[in-house]
Amino acid sequence: MDDLDRVSWAKLKHAYGRATDVPGQIRALASADEGERQKALSALYGNIFHQGTRFSATPHAVPFLARLAADPATPDREPILVLLASLALGYEEGHLPEGVGIARWREESAAVQSRSKEEADAHLQQWVDEAPNEAVRRDRAYARRTYDHKLERSLDAAMLASYDAVRQNLPISLLTDPDPHVRTCAAYLAGWFPEEAGTTGPALVGLVEADADPVPVATAMFALSLLPWPAGAPAGAIERGLGHADGLVRDAAALALVNLHGEDAPRPARDGVLRLLTATGTTSFPYAEGDLATLAARVAKRRLPGEAPARAEALIARLAAAEPRDAFPIAGDLLETVEDAPELRRAALTAIADLGDDAWSWINLKEILRAHGVPDDRDALREHLRDH
């Protein structure tokens, strides 16, 4: 960590200004005091990863975080690996279940960096004009009014630079670490970098075939499904997981095979994903915060389009039983599921209208409804249902 002080942190920015506090927070992650480590981790999530935004200081912190994660003497290496994934991705939801579309990301970033302010203004106005409904048009018009060209270019550059910094410092050796929790987090991290698949893919297959612990094996299986492969390349290692003694491994194998091969996946894998649509509770699986039902809904939507009725039925049941803070992402998945199935849409909207006051208090739910051209007021939605 000696060269931490060689970085010009005072010239770099994070969410709260100059990044002069970052080196101390990175050092604190190696402290023997658990409270100090937790405080430092929370601070880093707040300043170099603020609500998913990355800043000029973020990529400069990455090599030091990667060194700490790779050092067996560092306490609590797992949360550092998860932090690295966050710095690379933002939030994983935007990359599941397809994996990181890095070619498109680089193309879009190049466009952002090359556009003049006048070109950006024209591009935004076209975006507003193409809104699918009036509610979305209002939201887009607000984004256009508050647009800052210089800031957008700076934050866009920081996001891609942070991703590349993690890619260049991937601690692949941790896939064979003695600690199964570290192996799990390393496998989770490794799946987000398609440009490194030539290195990470064989290492993940090796973990699947050699590891005795079910959680890192399950994680590595799904990580493999996020990487580009020639047809059928990792299928053998994953297919054997369908007969594994551990249920999480069987579930991960089903999700991975369907994510890789869609309706060409083995029938047991497709049946496994459909069964997971109604799963309850959470697991130690790192994707989708361990919620296999949420992950199964997304995999099935992308890869099993013919199963829309089964997805909709499962999501409606989950929505009715969900905690208020969990309702809006389920509602989003549900509306996406029924967007091409008018016969299912009424049942979906009825389930959303029946949500309680706490669920309807979330602005996230209202934003999702507006994006789908649905009234964002419960009484208005009920009136819409009566009229249609």
Side-chain angles (χ1 to χ4, degrees):
M1 296 290 106
D2 290 346
D3 50 351
L4 255 176
D5 297 325
R6 297 194 183 104
V7 177
S8 300
W9 296 104
K11 295 181 180 179
L12 300 171
K13 296 290 184 69
H14 58 41
Y16 300 107
R18 294 183 180 182
T20 51
D21 52 349
V22 170
Q25 291 158 357
I26 292 174
R27 285 193 172 99
L29 293 176
S31 170
D33 184 290
E34 181 181 3
E36 188 175 347
R37 295 196 303 272
Q38 291 179 347
K39 181 179 178 182
L41 187 69
S42 176
L44 290 167
Y45 268 110
N47 57 22
I48 63 171
F49 178 84
H50 183 76
Q51 298 178 355
T53 302
R54 283 84 84 204
F55 304 85
S56 62
T58 308
H60 292 272
V62 165
F64 303 103
L65 295 170
R67 291 180 202 174
L68 284 172
D71 185 352
T74 302
D76 298 335
R77 290 181 290 158
E78 310 95 279
I80 299 176
L81 290 166
V82 174
L83 174 61
L84 285 169
S86 297
L87 299 183
L89 301 176
Y91 294 110
E92 68 163 23
E93 288 91 338
H95 306 284
L96 280 177
E98 293 88 350
V100 174
I102 189 59
R104 182 177 177 184
W105 185 355
R106 294 195 188 284
E107 181 181 320
E108 291 175 347
S109 180
V112 168
Q113 297 301 322
S114 65
R115 276 197 295 262
S116 66
K117 185 178 185 305
E118 292 72 24
E119 290 170 332
D121 286 339
H123 179 78
L124 282 170
Q125 187 58 55
Q126 181 180 354
W127 180 59
V128 173
D129 294 341
E130 292 174 351
N133 56 64
E134 179 59 24
V136 174
R137 192 201 67 79
R138 287 197 302 269
D139 288 345
R140 291 184 178 183
Y142 175 78
R144 188 196 185 294
R145 288 196 303 273
T146 57
Y147 171 74
D148 184 320
H149 183 244
K150 182 178 179 181
L151 180 62
E152 185 204 26
R153 292 178 69 189
S154 172
L155 296 181
D156 173 82
M159 286 190 288
L160 190 54
S162 298
Y163 177 86
D164 280 332
V166 179
R167 180 175 64 88
Q168 293 158 10
N169 290 273
L170 274 179
I172 302 300
S173 63
L174 295 184
L175 292 171
T176 58
D177 192 87
D179 186 334
H181 301 291
V182 171
R183 296 198 300 277
T184 296
C185 293
Y188 172 76
L189 181 61
W192 299 115
F193 300 91
E195 294 161 318
E196 301 301 315
T199 300
T200 58
L204 287 165
V205 170
L207 190 159
V208 168
E209 293 180 335
D211 205 306
D213 193 292
V215 181
V217 169
T219 303
M221 283 181 173
F222 194 75
L224 286 167
S225 79
L226 302 176
L227 296 174
W229 288 95
I238 299 174
E239 276 192 47
R240 288 190 287 276
L242 292 173
H244 199 278
D246 185 85
L248 180 60
V249 174
R250 294 195 299 272
D251 292 341
L255 288 163
L257 288 167
V258 171
N259 206 30
L260 281 167
H261 305 301
E263 293 176 341
D264 292 329
R267 182 75 251 180
R270 286 177 281 152
D271 289 344
V273 169
L274 295 178
R275 176 181 52 77
L276 286 173
L277 291 174
T278 56
T280 57
T282 58
T283 69
S284 50
F285 197 54
Y287 297 96
E289 298 183 344
D291 186 342
L292 295 178
T294 291
L295 186 56
R298 293 181 179 179
V299 169
K301 180 181 185 299
R302 172 181 177 253
R303 303 297 280 159
L304 299 176
E307 301 290 352
R311 291 200 315 275
E313 183 179 348
L315 287 166
I316 287 170
R318 289 184 59 216
L319 187 64
E323 293 293 327
R325 65 181 178 84
D326 298 325
F328 66 84
I330 298 173
D333 284 343
L334 177 57
L335 288 174
E336 289 179 5
T337 295
V338 302
E339 62 188 355
D340 296 322
E343 70 280 5
L344 301 173
R345 186 174 171 85
R346 182 176 182 81
L349 293 178
T350 300
I352 294 170
D354 287 342
L355 291 171
D357 293 343
D358 288 345
W360 274 93
S361 70
W362 284 77
I363 187 65
N364 311 65
L365 177 63
K366 297 177 184 295
E367 289 174 343
I368 288 168
L369 294 174
R370 289 198 296 271
H372 286 272
V374 175
D376 62 356
D377 175 81
R378 183 167 48 185
D379 290 339
L381 177 55
R382 285 173 172 163
E383 184 175 347
H384 170 82
L385 286 167
R386 284 195 295 270
D387 292 343
H388 296 81

